Amino acid sequence: MARTDVPVRTTTPPKPRLGLGADGTASPLGLIIKIGVLGVVAAIAVWAAFPLIATGNWIGLIILVAVSALIFYVYLSPRVIPAKYLIPGTLFLIVFQVLPVLFTLSTAFTNFGDGHRGSKDEAIAAVEGASVQQVPGSTVYTLTLATDGDPATGDIVFLLTDPATKAAFVGTADGLEPLANAQQSADGKVTSAGGYEVLDIGQISARSADIVEFSVPTAKGAIKNQGLSRAFEGTPQQAYNNDCDCITDRTTGQTWTANGDDGVFVDGQGQALAQGWKVNVGFRNFAEVVTNPVIRASFLKILLWNIGFALGVVLITFGLGLLVALVLNKPELRGQRLYRSLIILPYAMPAVAMMLVWRDMFNTDFGLINRLFGLHVNWFGSAPSSMFAILLVQLWLGYNYMFLVSTGALQAIPADLTEAAQVDGARPFHAFRTITFPLLLVALAPLLISSFAFNFNNFTAIYLVSEGAPFPPDNPQAGATDILITYTYRLAFGGAGAQYGFAAAISVFIFLIVATISVVSFRRTHALEEIN
Amino acid sequence: MAATDTIQAPVDDQPPSAVVRLGSARGGWFRQVGWRHIIGLLALAFSLFPILFVVSAALNPLGTLSSSDLVPSGASLENFRKLFADTSFPIWFLNSMIIGLLAAALSMFVSACAAFAFSRFRFKGRRAGLLGILLVQMFPQFLLIVALYIMFAYVSDLWPAVGFNTRTGLLLLYLGGALGTNTWLMKGFFDTIPKDLDESAKVDGATHAQVFFGLILPLVTPILAVTGLLGFISAVNEFLIASIFLTDDSAKTAAVGLYGLVSEERNNNFGVFAAGALVLAVPTVALFQFLQRYIVGGLTAGAVKG
């Protein structure tokens, strides 16, 4: 008692600003876990650094070091508590979602795709390389592929034999030299040579990319291989000239002038060489959707069906799911649990496999549906029946999920509300319409909107069931059941070669449409109120 | 008495007790419960007939699409034998399970952490972060495939261990979507847990980590179960990215492998394909049964304001 009035002066040590226990990690278990995880982070960072150093990617290395330092700072500092919980997800989100989104956006403003993959220099090299022809009167050598040193990593060399004189040469990246100590077979082909490793077929295929790039420089051009056992001295038929910024054909004299706007070499008639390069085309990809008559005509029709499909799927799945949930939501009902677990079975089946099963059930010749009902309907042959089939498959795949969430939401609605309505003399349906249903909608609106957004881009639902069929004869690119995303897929990756730039532009369109619809509806349902 | 008889208006001769007879059993069972069974059975038939078809096709000894009916025409395990002996299905199945379980567990944990931060802390950029997650999630994932493919071509050169045809690479890619899919759902659920709980724990000297792992996580088991299940289902069923990233037969997941079985010869391989679909369904159905008591509450809790 007397002690209490003596002020006890304990000097608490100042809190550390940074360190393993600085953020109040008190328990030894917590400390051990933390040390372990940070150790793993450090190990992964070191492992990831080696290839970056080896390829001289200093920007990547700086980013790697910065990210690792950030992780260590966040987990050793006593402050920034929210960051400790957000960092793991955010890192994944940035690398695998945000970066690809930005990359897609930047691609949308280019002509990136087949024929426009690389830089201008790469395009010139490709044009020249593709036009290499044999120098008239030059030798066609017998070739043996070899390496200087290890077969997997050493420099490629050509061991060459002149078929007329049987003289052996070695061709390296520096030029052609006589080969002294070569073992040759009867036809002169070099079978071994001191200091060089002759490659077998497996090693050749492993190094095929290097072999394609390799050539032996000579006075008139270069010695290139032709297959695996012949090589000849050739010069490019078409060569780039810096003065006119054009490519000239040596024999015909035809010139193709570089066009920086389109990233192609064009001759006087407007004919372009197949090999171009990647350039920025501004808003051209976006304008294409509005100005290209083929795309414009299809775009609107497809957009309408796209919205109809997404809305339709949400409406029918929610409608049927809610109906069944209401019917079965009766405590006196026997076997409620059995009903529930069986009705949601389709939800547990692998969706990809089941879509393919449905597709085959609708098959005209062998399909179960035609055989059961004695029909001979070509389900994917007409637009209405194809749409019906797609919607039926989605109903089967989706209504049980809606049944589940409706059941959950129904159970969350206080029973005394509906009972009070009944006491006040409201008929059951009236009570449902004025009390239960609005409450349900408030609860389920975010899920319905997500479902709409998901189905708007439900690629597999179309691609695996109808593949967009049927196709009108006048425009085989745009099927009657295509949605934007499958249509884009066909335009971008279909028969006409990859057009990544254009595909990216369409995906930006899709994003804008979905984002607008979602944001507007979220605002209307006040789901965003919670943020503030 | 007689006088009153004459005064009384001639009404129907139903006894007055009929007015107050509530919940009588006469004809009531059908009105109350019976018709519900009829609708329930109809819904059940609609749900089950394609599954029944798959089962009978898997047991059908002929193994073709044209010979498969709703009722099995015979019972043989020939299709299952072919599935395990003649195709790489065991490896595909293993790949699917490893990727599915890891993706589900990790994305569940990652989004639970993020949901905890958004639900319990107020910090700069919180609103922007929540909105950003919503927006990024809407960008069609499939159309990122071009960007992802080009990115991964580069990654495969530098770090082959996480490049194309590796389970780890695909898993990391799936985790990219972890925040977007579940954070909102979980945050809604976390918000229903009173903050007084954390406060009182903190007064007792608990650190934020102890609050999260010891107090909050046990309370949100239903939503963890649901997000885990959804994550598992979507990883096992993911088709597009997997089909582009996994080209080696031994690296394929079951969804990609099974698609390959019926993409060309659809009529002849149908029985083997159906057998594969059934085997692939087993783990999901088992998880469903195992987590059933959480699912109904968990799916909606995020949307229902507590």
Side-chain angles (χ1 to χ4, degrees):
Chain A
M1 279 141 259
R3 260 185 235 162
T4 49
D5 46 27
V6 179
V8 183
R9 302 193 48 145
T10 49
T11 48
T12 47
K15 273 197 93 165
R17 303 261 309 275
L18 205 68
L20 270 173
D23 58 349
T25 314
S27 62
L29 179 70
L31 266 178
I32 290 167
I33 291 174
K34 186 179 247 190
I35 293 169
V37 170
L38 286 177
V40 169
V41 169
I44 291 176
V46 171
W47 170 79
F50 279 113
L52 288 173
I53 295 168
T55 53
N57 186 337
W58 306 121
I59 296 175
L61 190 66
I62 289 169
I63 293 174
L64 179 70
V65 171
V67 169
S68 314
L70 177 75
I71 293 175
F72 271 79
Y73 168 75
V74 163
Y75 287 104
L76 295 180
S77 151
R79 293 190 301 276
V80 293
I81 291 175
K84 296 185 206 297
Y85 289 92
L86 288 170
I87 274 220
T90 312
L91 281 181
F92 281 120
L93 187 77
I94 287 174
V95 175
F96 295 112
Q97 287 274 83
V98 177
L99 277 183
V101 165
L102 295 178
F103 194 42
T104 306
L105 282 175
S106 67
T107 307
F109 293 94
T110 67
N111 61 357
F112 189 31
D114 281 354
H116 299 277
R117 282 178 183 270
S119 66
K120 187 172 175 180
D121 290 343
E122 284 168 347
I124 290 168
V127 169
E128 289 180 345
S131 70
V132 168
Q133 289 192 344
Q134 196 184 336
V135 174
S138 69
T139 318
V140 177
Y141 296 97
T142 307
L143 164 73
T144 303
L145 286 163
T147 53
D148 189 356
D150 183 62
T153 56
D155 292 332
I156 301 282
V157 296
F158 286 170
L159 304 178
L160 303 164
T161 314
D162 183 334
T165 64
K166 298 280 189 287
F169 302 91
V170 57
T172 64
D174 303 327
L176 201 60
E177 289 163 14
L179 183 63
N181 51 4
Q183 303 280 320
Q184 290 168 293
S185 64
D187 60 352
K189 188 176 165 77
V190 177
T191 50
S192 74
Y196 299 111
E197 292 279 344
V198 174
L199 300 181
D200 65 28
I201 193 76
Q203 292 161 334
I204 287 173
S205 71
R207 300 293 304 269
S208 60
D210 298 333
I211 293 167
V212 168
E213 280 181 16
F214 180 76
S215 63
V216 182
T218 59
K220 290 183 184 159
I223 297 175
K224 292 283 300 178
N225 66 312
Q226 192 184 26
L228 303 182
S229 53
R230 280 153 50 90
F232 62 84
E233 187 177 2
T235 51
Q237 189 63 20
Q238 293 163 350
Y240 175 74
N241 186 334
N242 225 339
D243 303 333
C244 63
D245 192 20
C246 66
I247 285 182
T248 312
D249 192 298
R250 281 169 205 251
T251 39
T252 63
Q254 196 180 0
T255 58
W256 291 268
T257 313
N259 174 339
D261 290 343
D262 297 345
V264 284
F265 291 104
V266 203
D267 65 5
Q269 284 79 47
Q271 292 293 316
L273 287 172
Q275 199 52 256
W277 64 98
K278 195 172 118 182
V279 290
N280 280 328
V281 295
F283 282 92
R284 195 186 309 170
N285 289 327
F286 297 92
E288 186 97 328
V289 176
V290 186
T291 54
N292 183 325
V294 177
I295 298 177
R296 188 182 53 202
S298 327
F299 191 83
L300 265 178
K301 210 172 63 180
I302 289 172
L303 178 63
L304 277 178
W305 158 243
N306 200 156
I307 294 173
F309 163 77
L311 262 183
V313 170
V314 174
L315 284 180
I316 58 178
T317 52
F318 181 56
L320 185 61
L322 178 63
L323 177 80
V324 177
L326 280 170
V327 167
L328 296 186
N329 192 28
K330 182 94 178 165
E332 297 91 78
L333 196 70
R334 283 227 191 104
Q336 230 183 354
R337 281 198 55 150
L338 189 68
Y339 274 128
R340 267 182 204 157
S341 47
L342 287 178
I343 283 176
I344 58 172
L345 255 190
Y347 190 54
M349 296 295 284
V352 167
M354 290 316 287
M355 282 189 216
L356 293 167
V357 167
W358 273 96
R359 177 195 73 178
D360 291 345
M361 286 203 291
F362 280 115
N363 183 300
T364 312
D365 305 316
F366 316 116
L368 176 79
I369 292 181
N370 278 354
R371 280 189 290 126
L372 264 189
F373 298 105
L375 303 167
H376 206 276
V377 178
N378 179 0
W379 286 96
F380 302 118
S382 79
S385 63
S386 185
M387 287 174 181
F388 171 80
I390 287 172
L391 285 173
L392 186 68
V393 176
Q394 286 307 305
L395 178 66
W396 184 82
L397 279 170
Y399 97 91
N400 30 61
Y401 169 77
M402 291 294 183
F403 162 77
L404 263 187
V405 296
S406 303
T407 301
L410 278 175
Q411 289 174 346
I413 291 173
D416 44 12
L417 276 181
T418 39
E419 275 164 19
Q422 270 171 354
V423 168
D424 287 348
R427 301 193 145 273
F429 181 71
H430 187 71
F432 169 77
R433 206 171 49 88
T434 51
I435 297 170
T436 316
F437 190 63
L439 283 173
L440 268 184
L441 269 191
V442 169
L444 297 182
L447 290 178
L448 295 180
I449 294 165
S450 316
S451 168
F452 175 86
F454 172 79
N455 280 300
F456 196 87
N457 293 308
N458 197 340
F459 180 85
T460 38
I462 307 291
Y463 186 78
L464 294 183
V465 178
S466 78
E467 285 198 62
F471 294 93
D474 56 330
N475 183 4
Q477 287 279 47
T481 54
D482 263 329
I483 57 177
L484 283 174
I485 211 157
T486 54
Y487 174 61
T488 310
Y489 178 81
R490 195 170 298 110
L491 280 177
F493 309 104
Q499 306 171 38
Y500 298 139
F502 188 65
I506 299 255
S507 65
V508 173
F509 266 111
I510 297 175
F511 167 66
L512 289 176
I513 294 167
V514 177
T516 311
I517 294 173
S518 304
V519 168
V520 167
S521 35
F522 262 113
R523 281 213 181 285
R524 294 201 45 183
T525 56
H526 305 293
L528 293 177
E529 270 183 7
E530 286 183 64
I531 295 186
N532 301 321
Chain B
M1 282 299 201
T4 51
D5 272 353
T6 51
I7 291 168
Q8 202 173 37
V11 285
D12 55 359
D13 36 51
Q14 272 208 347
S17 60
V19 182
V20 288
R21 208 183 54 186
L22 289 171
S24 96
R26 201 178 57 182
W29 179 84
F30 185 80
R31 276 225 331 268
Q32 290 286 325
V33 179
W35 66 276
R36 293 173 192 271
H37 278 296
I38 291 177
I39 293 194
L41 288 171
L42 282 175
L44 217 56
F46 178 53
S47 268
L48 295 186
F49 94 87
I51 299 176
L52 189 65
F53 175 64
V54 175
V55 172
S56 76
L59 295 175
N60 173 5
L62 293 173
T64 57
L65 173 61
S66 46
S67 64
S68 299
D69 268 310
L70 266 186
V71 183
S73 49
S76 88
L77 295 178
E78 180 59 13
N79 288 324
F80 291 89
R81 192 197 61 74
K82 274 190 197 157
L83 179 75
F84 282 93
D86 304 347
T87 70
S88 311
F89 185 80
I91 298 174
W92 300 339
F93 184 75
L94 185 73
N95 287 339
S96 272
M97 288 308 108
I98 292 175
I99 291 175
L101 287 172
L102 280 176
L106 288 171
S107 69
M108 180 175 81
F109 180 71
V110 160
S111 38
C113 288
F116 178 68
F118 282 125
S119 165
R120 288 305 195 254
F121 299 108
R122 295 292 174 270
F123 49 92
K124 233 186 261 174
R126 174 173 175 275
R127 185 161 190 271
L130 276 170
L131 274 174
I133 285 175
L134 208 60
L135 272 181
V136 166
Q137 192 198 327
M138 284 176 216
F139 205 94
Q141 171 119 47
F142 154 66
L143 274 187
L144 298 179
I145 192 74
V146 174
L148 286 170
Y149 185 82
I150 295 161
M151 268 174 61
F152 259 77
Y154 184 67
V155 168
S156 301
D157 288 344
L158 282 183
W159 304 285
V162 293
F164 290 134
N165 287 317
T166 63
R167 286 193 291 243
T168 321
L170 195 65
L171 179 65
L172 288 175
L173 193 61
Y174 287 166
L175 287 181
L179 263 195
T181 352
N182 303 322
T183 308
W184 272 83
L185 185 72
M186 283 206 186
K187 179 189 160 289
F189 201 95
F190 281 35
D191 285 341
T192 61
I193 293 168
K195 277 198 176 176
D196 316 353
L197 279 177
D198 331 9
E199 299 303 330
S200 57
K202 279 192 177 138
V203 168
D204 290 345
T207 62
H208 62 87
Q210 283 165 330
V211 169
F212 177 61
F213 288 102
L215 184 76
I216 304 278
L217 280 191
L219 285 174
V220 295
T221 321
I223 199 75
L224 292 183
V226 168
T227 42
L229 182 71
L230 292 179
F232 180 79
I233 290 177
S234 62
V236 168
N237 281 313
E238 205 289 318
F239 170 73
L240 232 139
I241 296 178
S243 69
I244 288 176
F245 273 52
L246 310 172
T247 48
D248 289 358
D249 194 53
S250 63
K252 284 178 179 172
T253 58
V256 179
L258 287 177
Y259 176 75
L261 281 184
V262 287
S263 58
E264 289 121 30
E265 266 198 287
R266 69 173 61 168
N267 190 20
N268 296 341
N269 281 336
F270 192 74
V272 177
F273 167 79
L278 278 188
V279 175
L280 185 57
V282 168
T284 323
V285 174
L287 266 183
F288 245 95
Q289 296 307 329
F290 182 61
L291 300 173
Q292 178 144 25
R293 58 205 177 101
Y294 300 123
I295 287 172
V296 172
L299 270 180
T300 36
V304 178
K305 295 198 180 78

